[in-house]
Amino acid sequence: MTAVLTVAAGEIRSALRNRWVLSATLVLAALALSLALLGSAPTGTVGVAPLDVTVISLTSLTIFLVPLIALLLSHDAIVGESERGTLLLLLSYPLSRWQVITGKFIGHTAVVVIAVTLGYGSAGLMIGWLFGGVDSESITAFAALIGSSIVLGAAFLALGYLVSVCAPQRATAIGVAIAIWLVLVLAYDAALLGILVADTSRSIPAELVQALLVLNPADAFRLFNLAGLGRVGTLSGMAAVSQQAHAGDGLLISMLILWTALPLLVAAVVFRRREV
Amino acid sequence: MTVVEAHHVSRRYGAQLAVDDVTVTFQSGQCTAIVGHNGAGKSTLIKMLLGLGRPTAGRITIFGEDPTAGNRRWRSQVGFLPENVSFPPSLSGRETLDFYARLKGQSTAANGDLLDRVGLSAAAANRRVSTYSKGMRQRLGLAQALLGSPRLLVLDEPTSGLDPSSRQSFYAILRDLVADGAAVLLSSHALEEIEGQADRIAVMSHGRLMAFGSLDELRGLSQLPVRIQLRVANGHAAALAHSLGVPATVQGHDIALSCMATAKMDVLRRVASCEEVVDFHVQPPSLDSLYAWFMEVGR
């Protein structure tokens, strides 16, 4: 356990030192604040809680940005150390390979926690201070957004390690990581939409579409935040989708945790066999 | 005591045999040098000895354990300096050493002394590793290898990038460790500096172990001639060279002889009894020439 925590602390220290934490936090805070201010301006008079609107816009922001940040952090974790020559030395120490991966995962997750909590938290506080109208339901939705963003980040961190243990070179790892981001975050939804549009005879069962939505971590995250939480769901127009999908919050979060645990496990197994 | 043992170990990468049927043991209280050209299989063998790569054939034991098995307790007794060592660039030297000390379950209290011992000043230790020269990285690498007074120290090309005076202090540290009973294993292709430092020498070529033993044992194996230089009082050189009955070349006052090690004492007695000889100098085959000889034989 000490070895895992030592590796984790080393990752956090490195990320703080090379400005990873700072830049990720600033990017998230800047975009969250501008979205919050732009998005909340027109709602001031129509009786919608400004924080709820912010949750909706931040959900879309998170889907694009948090997976990207996570993949950029993690794709290099093993293959990069292997190429720089630090991995050989690390593995000569009394720690096992799963401890290396676990330590890095804990450290990088901490980086995501700091960036998301500070970045989004500052935006949330700003909205509350500027527009007021914050009640417990809004706060719950906002806290759920932060929490689920972290889990989404963890899932893409795990995918990044899987890429990193399999890739022979850093260049391959970054290519595959970006491809994963494009597919899961952009292409998946577009393809699903395209199929639905093309399917004029409605031959695809609705259950299949819903299952496909839940299976993608980015969509699971979207459903969780936009449809799952009372007022936000009504406001975003996603409540109906969610009710049809019968996807409870528990299922959606389990899906994200599965997307974290499974790639992490496979990464650990592949890493055991990797030559250094 | 045998610390590491390789028994008919081979390692194949595709069609290429990087290590070919190597059997060798490394003892505590001894400094063993593995010498060989680039690509001779030194680093591959070292990686396998430390369980960082699996042999495709053969068996390795380290502190009595299989290095690739689950038990990693022996690792805290091993210090390793890889070839071209590198560290996370954004940490300082001190932070880096503290990190490795914690991984080894050691207190970080003695790290200041350790940095001092390898010749990294306190000012340098507080700078980021990314600003370090090759020699400073090498010293930091040695410092992390020395953490926790290891019983086995494995150093892959340790003196590359070190200036001559750092090399001297580096070998002084190694001698202390060997005197304390540690096993030191180092690889190098700087043969002239190994000579006089290593108790045993393993000569590798194209993955094979060509020879293994002390320098004297290697000399015996090779049967390379001993060179003797004589300085002779004026006018007698040519006649004397002829009378000694061994191959000799004359150049002014100087005679260069070569003879087999077994005939050396006989020749020397005759040389010493000649009043014309004013000085002489005996040169056993250097590691360089031994190495060249073993390479030639291996072909």
Side-chain angles (χ1 to χ4, degrees):
Chain A
M1 199 59 207
T2 340
V4 171
L5 292 181
T6 304
V7 173
E11 287 297 332
I12 295 171
R13 196 191 279 255
S14 279
L16 285 171
R17 200 58 66 74
N18 61 25
R19 314 255 195 284
W20 244 109
V21 174
L22 186 71
S23 39
T25 308
L26 283 182
V27 164
L28 285 179
L31 285 173
L33 274 174
S34 40
L35 275 181
L37 295 176
L38 288 174
S40 301
T43 65
T45 52
V46 294
V48 177
L51 201 55
D52 291 355
V53 176
T54 308
V55 166
I56 295 165
S57 42
L58 282 187
T59 299
S60 303
L61 174 70
T62 302
I63 287 174
F64 285 98
L65 220 48
V66 169
L68 194 62
I69 290 172
L71 285 171
L72 287 178
L73 268 174
S74 62
H75 80 275
D76 200 37
I78 302 300
V79 73
E81 285 224 26
S82 169
E83 230 163 79
R84 284 189 295 272
T86 47
L87 188 63
L88 192 64
L89 182 59
L90 186 62
L91 293 178
S92 78
Y93 275 76
L95 79 169
S96 64
R97 298 194 179 192
W98 72 262
Q99 285 176 313
V100 173
I101 292 239
T102 312
K104 282 177 178 286
F105 175 68
I106 293 173
H108 286 150
T109 304
V111 173
V112 173
V113 168
I114 296 169
V116 169
T117 311
L118 288 183
Y120 287 2
S122 62
L125 287 177
M126 184 72 99
I127 299 297
W129 178 62
L130 283 179
F131 303 105
V134 175
D135 56 20
S136 66
E137 200 177 333
S138 291
I139 291 174
T140 310
F142 199 77
L145 169 75
I146 289 180
S148 57
S149 298
I150 290 165
V151 184
L152 182 70
F156 279 86
L157 281 175
L159 283 169
Y161 299 131
L162 183 54
V163 171
S164 201
V165 294
C166 295
Q169 284 158 4
R170 295 172 79 179
T172 323
I174 185 84
V176 175
I178 287 175
I180 287 179
W181 181 80
L182 281 174
V183 167
L184 289 183
V185 172
L186 295 177
Y188 193 90
D189 283 1
L192 204 57
L193 199 63
I195 289 167
L196 287 179
V197 169
D199 179 38
T200 44
S201 58
R202 300 195 172 206
S203 56
I204 300 171
E207 290 80 11
L208 179 65
V209 177
Q210 285 144 10
L212 286 174
L213 273 182
V214 175
L215 279 176
N216 180 344
D219 285 317
F221 171 82
R222 197 196 316 268
L223 283 175
F224 174 81
N225 279 288
L226 295 188
L229 300 160
R231 222 163 49 198
V232 173
T234 321
L235 193 59
S236 65
M238 289 287 276
V241 180
S242 173
Q243 275 152 20
Q244 273 183 6
H246 306 296
D249 290 348
L251 174 66
L252 294 169
I253 283 292
S254 311
M255 194 48 75
L256 285 178
I257 290 172
L258 195 69
W259 269 99
T260 310
L262 210 59
L264 208 54
L265 205 68
V266 178
V269 171
V270 174
F271 188 32
R272 268 176 69 106
R273 292 156 198 266
R274 190 189 164 107
E275 281 283 330
V276 279
Chain B
M1 195 190 88
T2 301
V3 175
V4 196
E5 191 173 4
H7 192 70
H8 295 294
V9 165
S10 298
R11 171 71 217 213
R12 185 181 284 283
Y13 292 106
Q16 196 212 345
L17 209 50
V19 170
D20 185 1
D21 196 26
V22 169
T23 298
V24 67
T25 56
F26 301 100
Q27 312 282 338
S28 55
Q30 280 186 355
C31 175
T32 309
I34 304 181
V35 302
H37 54 86
N38 290 324
K42 306 187 296 280
S43 294
T44 308
L45 179 63
I46 284 178
K47 277 196 219 172
M48 288 193 290
L49 294 177
L50 293 174
L52 299 170
R54 276 172 199 277
T56 39
R59 180 169 49 79
I60 290 169
T61 50
I62 182 163
F63 293 109
E65 309 251 7
D66 173 1
T68 55
N71 184 357
R72 279 173 198 84
R73 242 170 311 161
W74 57 269
R75 286 199 185 280
S76 48
Q77 314 214 24
V78 176
F80 176 42
L81 174 59
E83 187 180 4
N84 299 322
V85 68
S86 64
F87 299 102
S90 55
L91 301 184
S92 74
R94 180 68 203 252
E95 286 169 333
T96 304
L97 195 59
D98 287 354
F99 171 76
Y100 287 111
R102 282 190 207 101
L103 273 187
K104 236 177 189 175
Q106 297 287 328
S107 151
T108 57
N111 285 0
D113 293 340
L114 194 51
L115 288 165
D116 197 41
R117 192 172 168 200
V118 298
L120 273 180
S121 66
N126 288 326
R127 286 207 334 250
R128 284 187 185 205
V129 175
S130 57
T131 67
Y132 279 20
S133 67
K134 174 102 199 312
M136 289 166 79
R137 276 211 311 276
Q138 206 67 17
R139 286 161 198 235
L140 182 58
L142 180 62
Q144 65 78 29
L146 293 174
L147 281 165
S149 315
R151 283 170 55 208
L152 169 65
L153 197 62
V154 180
L155 312 158
D156 199 353
E157 302 284 351
T159 54
S160 62
L162 291 184
D163 55 65
S165 71
S166 314
R167 283 175 199 208
Q168 292 305 318
S169 54
F170 168 81
Y171 281 114
I173 292 173
L174 292 197
R175 277 195 298 273
D176 287 349
L177 282 167
V178 171
D180 286 346
V184 173
L185 167 57
L186 61 93
S187 82
S188 183
H189 44 231
L191 301 177
E192 67 284 359
E193 66 177 70
I194 299 291
E195 206 166 332
Q197 302 295 347
D199 304 304
R200 305 214 163 258
I201 293 159
V203 183
M204 281 188 83
S205 170
H206 299 101
R208 273 174 300 159
L209 185 67
M210 307 303 298
F212 180 53
S214 67
L215 199 53
D216 281 338
E217 284 167 343
L218 295 193
R219 282 177 183 140
L221 276 176
S222 73
Q223 306 209 330
L224 281 177
V226 177
R227 295 188 183 285
I228 304 172
Q229 307 273 345
L230 305 181
R231 172 148 286 206
V232 186
N234 44 357
H236 301 285
L240 182 69
H242 190 71
S243 73
L244 286 169
V246 289
T249 52
V250 181
Q251 204 166 39
H253 298 300
D254 295 315
I255 306 175
L257 304 173
S258 61
C259 65
M260 299 319 281
T262 44
K264 180 179 71 180
M265 286 316 296
D266 204 34
V267 173
L268 282 181
R269 271 186 214 104
R270 269 185 280 157
V271 165
S273 64
C274 293
E275 281 177 16
E276 295 89 344
V277 176
V278 291
D279 193 11
F280 73 88
H281 193 70
V282 181
Q283 218 177 9
S286 66
L287 184 54
D288 247 337
S289 53
L290 284 170
Y291 177 73
W293 188 84
F294 282 112
M295 289 300 109
E296 198 59 44
V297 168
R299 217 163 276 146

